[in-house]
C-alpha cells in the first residue's frame, strides 16, 4: 500500500459526486421503503446506505441533511440520522428489521 | 468487418472440450483444430446444458479470434490525444503500475478502481476483485452485471436468500406453467429457448409478460396462453396486480408459506398487495392491458401445479429493477413454487459468465458468496488468506465511478474486457468522465470505444485461448479449456498477475486451477469445486461442498439460505419512473438484442454472422411511422432528453403503437447516446428499457452527408 502520511484526498473537491445525483438516489431508496412502518422504514434506509454506499457519498448526504436537506424526502433524513458510530454495520438482506 | 469463412470440411487433427462464452446457457462444445487453428465448433453431446445442441453464435461465430483487428502488442501513450506506441510487456506493465500508483499518491487511495467482465473466467474475475481490494487497497471494484443483473442479486437475496437461479435448465421439462417475464429466450438464450418451446409443444401453458410480441409469444407450433404486452416501465404494477388477484382469490399456498416462510411478513405483504390500487382494473388501465388477462395470468400461475418463472433484463433494467425481481420472489414463495423440479425463479443471464461475475465478489459491497465487506468476520477470512488489511467500507459502483470522475475524486481505472463507453447509458456523460481520467488501463482483444480514452492497452486473450471456468445461469460451473495458444502470448489472468506483482503483491499461481482453489477456500458455495472435479464429472452446480460433493441441481428444497432458513416477502410499491413521455418525446424506446449478434458486437461483428444483422434498425409500428411520414427503410433520427442518433426504421408488428425498439450491437448506431441516466433505486442498474423519445425522418441527402462525415472521423491510426 501507499504509505503516504498526509492523505492527498483531503485536498480534493468537497463532494465525491454531485449532490443532485445523491438526492435523486436517496429519494428513490426512501420511496422503496415508504410502505413500511416508521421505525422499520428508517432502518431500511439506514442499512441500505450503510452497506451499499461509499463512505464519501454517505458523508456528503449526512452533511447535506445537517444543513437542512432541501429536496430530500423526510424518510431519507430519518434513515440518515440513524447512521451513527454505534450502528450495526454488518449488513443484511431482506425486510427492514423492526 | 467480415472474415472469410473457413473452407469446410477440414479434417481436424485435435479436439478440446470447452464452454461457449456467448450467453448464460453455457453450452459445451468440442473445439476442433487443424494445424493449430480452430476449424469447427461442434456442440458437445455430454454438455449438461445443451445436450449436443447449439445456436448460430456458438456454432459459427468463432473466427473473431483470428480477426486482423486483434491487438497483440501492448500499447501505451501519455495522453489520449497522442497516437499509441507499441512497447514490450515489461514496459507496459511497469508503466501501468507506476501510473496507477502515481494517481493514488496524487488523488488518494480511493481515486482508482477496477472493472471485470462476464466474458472473463471465474478465475480472472476473482483475481480482478483481489487486485482492487488487496493491491489498490479499496473496494472500488465492479463488474458488468451492474448494468444487467445486479437487481437479481439484490432482489433474490432479499426474498429467497441467494441471487441465483433456483433450478437447472432441464427442470423446465417438469413445468406445467412457464412464465417468461421481460426476456426473449429464443433470441437471447436460443438453446434454452428451444427447450422451452419443446415443453410448450408438450402442453405446458405459457405466460409472457413483455411489451413486444416476441418470437417467444408466438412462433410455429407455439402460442402463449396469455401475453401481457404492458407499457414499458409498469412491470412492478402488473406483478403486484397479479399478486392482488392471487391474494384476493386465495390462490396462494398457505401450507407452504406457513411451513417455509416468514408468516408475519407474508401477512403484511398480502394486505399490501390486496389494496384496491393494485386491482387489475386500476393497473390494467395504467399498463395498457386488459384486466381480465391479468386475472387469467394470476390464476394460471397459481394453479400450476408446477409453475416456473424465467426472466431477463426486461425486469432488471428499470428504475424499479430490484423491486421487480422481489415481486417475482414474492409470487413464487406465495404460491409455493420453489424447492422441487419444474418450478422456481430463474434469471436468464446474457453473458457466459454473469453468474460467475456475481458469485465471485466483483462488487464494491460484497466478497464472493454475497457476504458484506462491512462484516468483520468475513473480512478477516480474506485478510488472513491474502496477508493484507482490507478496506471495511463499500466502494464506488461503476456509475458512481463515472460521477466521481466528473466531481474530481476518481482518476484511474483498470478494465478487463469491458467497453463501458459503448455499453453504458448516457454515453456523453461517460465520455466526459473518461476524459477526466489520468490513467486508464484496458485489457481487451480489440481497440474499442473505451480504449479511445485509455492510456495503456494490454492485449487480452479470448476464451478459446485460456484455461479456467465459467458459471452459467443455472449455477453450473463449466470448464473453459485452452484450445489454441494466446495470440499475444499470455492468458488474461497471467497478465493481471504480472500487474499485481509489479505493484508489490506477491500473487503466484502455477495455473488457473490454483486460483479456483483459492476461490473454493474462500467461498462456501464453491468449496468443493476444483479443476479435478470438473475434469472428472464434466461440470457441477454450486453449492458444491461436503453435503453435495457433485453439486446441487435444485435450490431451496428444505430451507432457504437466510439466517432463519425461511423465505420472506418484501413490500413492492409501484413507483412510476421519472422518465415520462410528453409532447416533445411521445414514444417509449426499449432496447434488446438479436439472435445472431452478441452484446456490443465486438466479437460477432467480426464474423460472418454479421451478414444476418449488418446494422441496428429501429422497429416502429406502421401507425407511428406513417403519422411521422416515415416509410419502411427510411433513415430516421431518434432523440431523447439525453442525446440523439440516426438509424434505419423498420415497420414492425412486434411493437405496439407508442413503443419503438432497437438493438445495441453496432457501435456506429450509438444508441446509448439516447438512453437515460436514471437507474435502479437499489443497485444503480441503468434504466435501458424506458426512454422517452421522438423519431423523425431524415432527408436522404443529409443522411448520406452525415454518414460520410462519420466514416471519416472514425478512421484512426493505431
Amino acid at each position: 500500500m501507499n504509505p503516504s502520511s498526509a492523505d492527498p484526498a483531503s485536498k480534493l473537491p468537497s463532494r465525491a459526486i454531485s449532490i443532485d445525483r445523491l438526492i435523486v438516489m436517496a429519494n428513490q431508496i426512501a420511496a422503496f421503503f415508504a410502505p413500511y412502518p416508521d421505525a422499520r422504514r428508517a432502518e431500511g434506509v439506514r442499512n441500505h446506505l450503510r452497506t451499499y454506499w461509499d463512505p464519501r457519498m454517505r458523508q456528503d448526504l449526512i452533511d447535506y441533511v445537517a444543513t437542512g436537506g432541501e429536496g430530500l424526502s423526510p424518510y431519507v433524513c430519518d434513515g440518515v440520522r440513524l447512521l451513527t458510530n454505534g450502528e450495526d454495520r454488518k449488513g443484511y438482506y431482506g425486510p427492514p428489521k423492526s | 468487418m467480415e472474415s472469410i469463412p473457413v473452407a469446410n470440411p477440414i479434417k481436424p487433427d485435435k479436439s478440446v472440450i470447452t464452454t461457449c462464452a456467448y450467453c448464460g446457457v453455457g453450452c459445451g462444445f468440442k473445439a476442433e483444430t487443424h494445424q493449430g487453428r480452430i476449424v469447427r465448433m461442434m456442440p458437445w453431446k455430454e454438455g449438461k446444458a445443451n445436450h449436443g445442441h447449439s445456436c448460430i453464435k456458438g456454432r459459427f461465430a468463432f473466427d473473431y479470434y483470428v480477426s486482423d483487428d486483434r491487438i497483440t502488442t501492448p500499447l501505451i501513450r501519455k495522453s489520449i490525444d497522442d497516437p499509441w506506441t507499441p512497447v514490450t510487456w515489461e514496459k507496459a506493465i511497469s508503466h501501468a503500475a507506476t501510473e496507477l500508483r502515481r494517481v493514488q499518491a496524487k488523488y488518494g487511495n480511493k481515486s482508482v478502481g477496477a472493472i471485470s467482465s462476464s466474458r472473463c473466467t471465474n478465475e480472472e474475475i476473482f483475481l480482478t476483485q483481489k487486485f482492487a481490494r488487496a493491491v489498490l487497497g479499496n473496494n472500488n471494484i465492479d463488474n458488468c452485471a451492474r448494468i444487467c443483473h445486479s437487481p437479481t442479486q439484490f432482489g433474490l437475496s432479499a426474498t429467497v436468500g441467494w441471487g441465483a437461479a433456483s433450478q437447472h435448465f432441464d427442470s423446465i421439462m417438469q413445468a406445467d406453467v412457464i412464465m417468461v417475464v421481460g426476456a426473449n429466450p429464443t433470441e437471447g438464450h436460443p438453446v434454452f429457448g428451444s427447450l422451452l418451446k419443446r415443453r410448450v409443444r408438450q402442453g405446458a401453458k405459457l405466460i409472457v409478460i413483455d411489451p413486444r410480441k416476441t418470437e417467444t409469444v408466438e412462433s410455429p407450433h407455439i402460442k402463449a396462453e396469455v401475453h401481457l404486452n404492458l407499457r414499458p416501465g409498469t412491470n412492478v404494477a402488473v406483478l403486484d396486480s397479479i399478486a392482488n388477484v392471487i391474494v384476493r382469490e386465495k390462490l396462494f399456498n398457505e401450507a407452504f408459506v406457513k411451513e417455509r416462510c416468514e408468516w408475519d411478513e407474508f401477512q403484511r405483504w398480502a394486505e399490501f398487495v390486496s389494496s384496491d390500487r393494485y386491482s387489475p382494473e386500476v393497473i390494467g388501465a395504467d399498463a395498457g392491458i386488459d384486466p381480465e388477462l391479468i386475472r387469467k395470468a394470476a390464476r394460471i400461475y397459481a394453479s400450476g401445479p408446477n409453475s416456473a418463472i424465467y426472466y431477463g433484463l426486461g425486469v432488471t433494467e428499470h428504475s424499479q429493477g430490484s423491486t421487480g425481481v422481489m415481486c417475482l420472489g414474492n409470487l413464487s414463495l406465495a404460491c409455493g413454487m420453489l424447492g422441487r423440479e419444474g418450478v422456481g425463479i430463474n434469471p436468464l443471464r446474457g453473458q457466459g459468465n454473469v453468474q460467475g461475475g456475481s458469485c465471485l465478489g466483483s462488487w464494491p459491497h460484497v466478497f464472493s458468496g454475497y457476504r458484506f465487506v462491512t462484516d468483520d468476520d468475513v473480512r478477516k477470512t480474506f485478510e488472513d488468506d491474502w496477508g493484507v488489511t482490507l478496506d471495511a467500507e463499500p466502494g464506488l459502483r461503476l456509475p458512481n465511478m463515472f460521477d466521481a470522475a466528473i466531481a474530481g475524486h476518481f482518476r484511474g481505472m483498470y478494465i478487463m474486457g469491458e467497453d463501458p463507453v459503448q455499453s453504458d447509458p448516457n454515453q456523453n456523460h461517460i465520455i466526459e468522465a473518461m476524459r477526466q481520467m489520468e490513467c486508464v488501463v484496458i485489457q481487451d482483444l480489440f481497440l474499442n470505444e473505451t480504449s479511445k480514452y485509455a492510456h495503456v492497452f494490454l492485449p487480452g486473450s479470448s476464451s478459446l485461448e485460456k484455461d479456467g471456468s465459467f458459471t452459467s445461469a443455472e449455477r453450473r460451473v463449466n470448464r473453459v479449456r485452452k484450445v489454441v495458444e494466446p495470440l499475444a502470448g499470455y492468458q488474461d489472468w497471467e497478465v493481471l498477475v504480472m500487474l499485481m506483482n509489479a505493484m508489490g503483491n506477491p500473487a503466484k499461481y502455477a495455473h488457473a486451477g490454483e486460483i479456483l482453489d483459492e476461490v473454493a477456500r474462500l467461498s462456501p458455495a464453491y468449496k468443493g469445486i476444483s479443476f479435478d472435479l470438473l475434469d472428472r464429472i464434466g461440470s457441477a452446480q454450486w453449492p458444491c461442498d461436503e453435503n453435495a460433493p457433485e453439486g446441487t441441481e435444485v435450490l431451496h428444497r428444505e430451507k432457504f439460505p437466510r439466517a432463519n432458513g425461511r423465505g420472506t416477502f418484501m413490500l413492492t410499491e409501484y413507483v412510476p419512473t421519472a422518465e415520462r413521455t410528453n409532447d416533445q418525446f411521445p414514444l417509449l424506446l426499449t432496447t434488446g438484442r438479436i439472435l445472431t449478434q452478441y452484446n456490443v458486437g465486438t466479437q460477432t461483428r467480426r464474423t460472418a454472422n454479421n451478414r444476418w444483422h449488418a446494422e441496428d434498425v429501429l422497429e416502429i409500428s406502421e401507425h407511428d411511422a406513417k403519422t411521422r411520414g416515415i416509410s419502411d427503410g427510411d433513415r430516421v433520427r431518434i432523440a431523447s432528453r439525453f442525446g440523439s442518433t440516426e438509424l434505419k426504421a423498420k415497420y414492425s408488428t412486434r411493437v405496439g403503437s407508442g413503443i419503438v425498439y432497437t438493438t445495441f450491437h453496432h457501435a456506429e448506431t450509438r444508441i446509448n447516446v439516447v438512453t437515460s441516466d436514471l437507474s435502479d433505486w437499489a443497485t444503480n442498474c441503468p434504466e435501458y428499457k424506458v426512454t422517452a423519445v421522438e423519431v423523425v425522418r431524415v432527408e436522404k441527402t443529409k443522411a448520406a452527408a452525415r454518414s460520410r462525415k462519420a466514416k471519416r472521423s472514425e478512421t484512426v491510426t493505431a
Side-chain angles (χ1 to χ4, degrees):
Chain A
M1 271 330 309
N2 190 351
S4 69
S5 52
D7 181 8
S10 61
K11 296 190 280 284
L12 297 182
S14 59
R15 284 191 175 126
I17 70 176
S18 113
I19 193 70
D20 294 337
R21 177 83 72 175
L22 288 189
I23 293 171
V24 170
M25 285 165 60
N27 284 343
Q28 278 185 288
I29 294 165
F32 174 80
F33 289 105
Y36 286 94
D38 292 354
R40 294 184 72 187
R41 182 198 306 125
E43 165 55 21
V45 172
R46 182 209 68 84
N47 177 54
H48 192 90
L49 295 174
R50 186 67 190 80
T51 45
Y52 289 90
W53 277 33
D54 180 282
R56 291 166 292 178
M57 292 160 59
R58 221 162 53 227
Q59 190 58 48
D60 287 350
L61 193 64
I62 292 170
D63 294 345
Y64 187 70
V65 168
T67 62
E70 192 188 338
L72 283 176
S73 150
Y75 298 164
V76 174
C77 303
D78 294 346
V80 167
R81 286 191 196 100
L82 297 179
L83 287 167
T84 58
N85 288 333
E87 67 188 313
D88 165 24
R89 45 198 295 281
K90 223 171 173 176
Y92 60 87
Y93 300 107
K97 294 174 178 171
S98 45
Chain B
M1 80 173 261
E2 218 170 89
S3 58
I4 295 163
V6 180
N8 249 340
I10 294 173
K11 197 171 176 210
D13 51 32
K14 195 182 138 200
S15 162
V16 177
I17 288 162
T18 190
T19 305
C20 178
Y22 276 132
C23 79
V25 176
C27 295
F29 275 91
K30 280 165 84 173
E32 300 184 337
T33 56
H34 176 71
Q35 294 178 357
R37 181 170 167 152
I38 299 174
V39 290
R40 262 195 322 207
M41 292 291 281
M42 295 300 289
W44 184 39
K45 283 183 186 156
E46 313 297 318
K48 286 180 185 153
N50 60 318
H51 307 294
H53 293 270
S54 76
C55 81
I56 61 179
K57 287 192 283 281
R59 177 84 170 82
F60 299 115
F62 58 84
D63 258 5
Y64 69 87
Y65 91 95
V66 282
S67 159
D68 292 342
D69 297 345
R70 278 291 292 273
I71 305 289
T72 52
T73 311
L75 306 169
I76 62 171
R77 59 182 171 184
K78 210 174 173 89
S79 142
I80 59 169
D81 300 319
D82 294 340
W84 288 107
T85 308
V87 292
T88 61
W89 276 103
E90 291 72 23
K91 169 87 181 157
I93 294 287
S94 117
H95 181 75
T98 311
E99 277 296 285
L100 286 170
R101 285 297 189 221
R102 181 188 66 77
V103 170
Q104 285 191 295
K106 187 171 168 192
Y107 298 100
N109 209 21
K110 297 194 173 191
S111 61
V112 297
I115 305 295
S116 73
S117 169
S118 302
R119 299 173 191 196
C120 297
T121 61
N122 284 328
E123 292 72 14
E124 288 154 356
I125 289 168
F126 186 81
L127 207 57
T128 309
Q129 60 98 35
K130 180 176 180 177
F131 169 71
R133 301 192 208 280
V135 180
L136 299 179
N138 63 49
N139 288 319
N140 293 336
I141 166 71
D142 214 344
N143 77 95
C144 59
R146 173 66 60 205
I147 62 170
C148 68
H149 265 296
S150 51
T152 285
Q153 191 247 311
F154 189 88
L156 291 185
S157 296
T159 48
V160 299
W162 263 333
S166 62
Q167 313 297 119
H168 53 310
F169 287 129
D170 288 350
S171 155
I172 200 170
M173 298 311 283
Q174 311 294 322
D176 306 299
V177 175
I178 299 164
M179 185 154 102
V180 178
V181 192
N184 186 16
T186 57
E187 304 235 20
H189 307 83
V191 169
F192 171 71
S194 299
L195 196 64
L196 182 151
K197 284 181 172 176
R198 195 195 310 168
R199 186 59 186 160
V200 173
R201 285 197 301 273
Q202 288 174 356
K205 288 178 180 160
L206 178 64
I207 303 167
V208 180
I209 306 182
D210 198 304
R212 294 172 69 225
K213 190 178 174 192
T214 60
E215 208 185 86
T216 306
V217 175
E218 192 169 357
S219 57
H221 313 292
I222 302 292
K223 192 170 190 311
E225 192 92 1
V226 183
H227 174 210
L228 300 179
N229 57 339
L230 74 191
R231 197 166 54 79
T234 58
N235 283 338
V236 169
V238 170
L239 293 170
D240 279 346
S241 191
I242 289 175
N244 174 286
V245 176
I246 286 170
V247 172
R248 283 197 170 187
E249 297 188 6
K250 296 203 184 335
L251 304 174
F252 54 88
N253 184 337
E254 188 172 330
F256 181 92
V257 176
K258 279 194 166 146
E259 194 195 326
R260 302 283 316 271
C261 305
E262 293 178 346
W263 180 248
D264 289 351
E265 297 301 329
F266 170 77
Q267 284 182 304
R268 188 178 297 278
W269 170 78
E271 189 188 330
F272 167 81
V273 293
S274 58
S275 154
D276 280 350
R277 68 183 188 282
Y278 290 119
S279 72
E281 274 64 29
V282 174
I283 298 303
D286 198 23
I289 45 183
D290 177 358
E292 276 314 307
L293 286 181
I294 297 179
R295 287 206 171 80
K296 193 173 172 190
R299 290 167 189 154
I300 293 174
Y301 176 76
S303 60
N306 282 343
S307 299
I309 294 172
Y310 294 87
Y311 72 93
L313 305 183
V315 172
T316 57
E317 289 179 344
H318 287 280
S319 60
Q320 280 205 287
S322 292
T323 318
V325 175
M326 289 174 194
C327 289
L328 298 174
N330 290 340
L331 281 177
S332 55
L333 287 166
C335 296
M337 298 298 178
L338 282 160
R340 59 183 186 276
E341 287 207 42
V343 296
I345 173 165
N346 302 282
L348 295 170
R349 311 269 186 170
Q351 302 197 48
N353 203 22
V354 180
Q355 185 63 58
S358 290
C359 300
L360 295 178
S362 244
W363 299 104
H365 65 292
V366 284
F367 290 110
S368 53
Y370 312 112
R371 293 165 300 157
F372 290 107
V373 297
T374 48
D375 186 324
D376 296 339
D377 298 334
V378 172
R379 211 170 52 254
K380 187 160 185 316
T381 61
F382 285 85
E383 288 179 336
D384 289 349
D385 199 276
W386 294 346
V388 287
T389 306
L390 298 174
D391 186 3
E393 291 286 354
L396 293 168
R397 304 164 183 177
L398 181 54
N400 304 151
M401 291 181 198
F402 295 127
D403 289 338
I406 288 170
H409 278 250
F410 195 79
R411 286 292 178 264
M413 64 204 304
Y414 165 82
I415 304 173
M416 188 193 268
E418 273 296 291
D419 187 4
V421 172
Q422 191 186 338
S423 63
D424 288 28
N426 194 0
Q427 196 175 82
N428 295 330
H429 176 77
I430 310 256
I431 289 173
E432 190 192 341
M434 291 302 292
R435 286 186 175 283
Q436 311 298 319
M437 305 278 184
E438 292 188 11
C439 178
V440 174
V441 180
I442 183 161
Q443 187 166 324
D444 214 304
L445 304 181
F446 306 103
L447 290 170
N448 57 26
E449 295 302 301
T450 306
S451 65
K452 289 177 182 167
Y453 309 95
H455 306 83
V456 180
F457 185 94
L458 303 172
S461 48
S462 76
S463 61
L464 302 163
E465 301 157 47
K466 60 173 94 164
D467 275 305
S469 60
F470 284 158
T471 305
S472 74
E474 56 172 349
R475 288 173 284 107
R476 186 179 298 286
V477 185
N478 287 303
R479 190 76 160 78
V480 174
R481 290 187 181 84
K482 190 172 76 173
V483 181
V484 291
E485 288 303 315
L487 261 61
Y490 294 103
Q491 304 182 36
D492 283 311
W493 65 267
E494 295 176 310
V495 176
L496 186 50
V497 168
M498 288 194 280
L499 182 59
M500 290 168 83
N501 293 161
M503 293 180 77
N505 185 287
K508 198 174 163 207
Y509 305 94
H511 56 85
E514 291 189 0
I515 307 174
L516 188 59
D517 294 342
E518 185 171 320
V519 170
R521 204 160 65 227
L522 291 166
S523 327
Y526 280 70
K527 198 173 169 189
I529 306 257
S530 66
F531 274 14
D532 282 349
L533 178 83
L534 300 180
D535 290 342
R536 184 161 55 81
I537 66 171
S539 62
Q541 289 176 274
W542 66 260
C544 176
D545 55 20
E546 56 278 13
N547 299 318
E550 297 199 347
T552 312
E553 288 189 331
V554 175
L555 295 183
H556 317 312
R557 278 192 189 272
E558 279 148 28
K559 56 181 184 172
F560 291 95
R562 300 186 67 246
N564 62 7
R566 289 177 173 271
T568 193
F569 294 80
M570 299 293 291
L571 302 186
T572 49
E573 188 84 86
Y574 169 52
V575 182
T577 170
E579 179 70 9
R580 308 281 169 84
T581 54
N582 59 14
D583 288 349
Q584 201 185 348
F585 302 108
L587 302 171
L588 285 178
L589 167 73
T590 186
T591 60
R593 56 182 105 185
I594 200 163
L595 175 65
T596 52
Q597 296 275 10
Y598 175 67
N599 280 10
V600 291
T602 314
Q603 290 141 295
T604 47
R605 277 189 280 122
R606 291 184 168 92
T607 70
N609 275 31
N610 215 33
R611 292 179 187 184
W612 281 302
H613 183 80
E615 62 180 327
D616 295 316
V617 295
L618 186 75
E619 290 188 16
I620 185 167
S621 74
E622 195 171 339
H623 172 263
D624 288 338
K626 284 193 168 156
T627 56
R628 288 165 175 77
I630 297 167
S631 304
D632 194 34
D634 274 355
R635 201 147 176 89
V636 294
R637 170 152 286 268
I638 178 167
S640 73
R641 294 176 180 91
F642 302 89
S644 69
T645 190
E646 283 180 18
L647 70 174
K648 200 188 274 180
K650 181 180 173 224
Y651 284 6
S652 170
T653 53
R654 293 195 187 278
V655 290
S657 182
I659 298 169
V660 289
Y661 169 86
T662 191
T663 47
F664 58 98
H665 300 305
H666 291 267
E668 53 270 31
T669 314
R670 299 182 77 229
I671 197 63
N672 282 327
V673 168
V674 176
T675 49
S676 94
D677 63 355
L678 289 169
S679 66
D680 174 41
W681 70 270
T683 65
N684 284 143
C685 178
E687 188 164 57
Y688 289 113
K689 300 297 184 185
V690 192
T691 306
V693 295
E694 178 57 300
V695 178
V696 294
R697 186 168 161 268
V698 179
E699 296 298 330
K700 283 209 170 76
T701 47
K702 280 186 189 165
R706 255 187 230 122
S707 160
R708 276 198 303 276
K709 197 177 161 201
K711 276 211 178 97
R712 272 203 304 277
S713 68
E714 271 171 22
T715 316
V716 284
T717 46

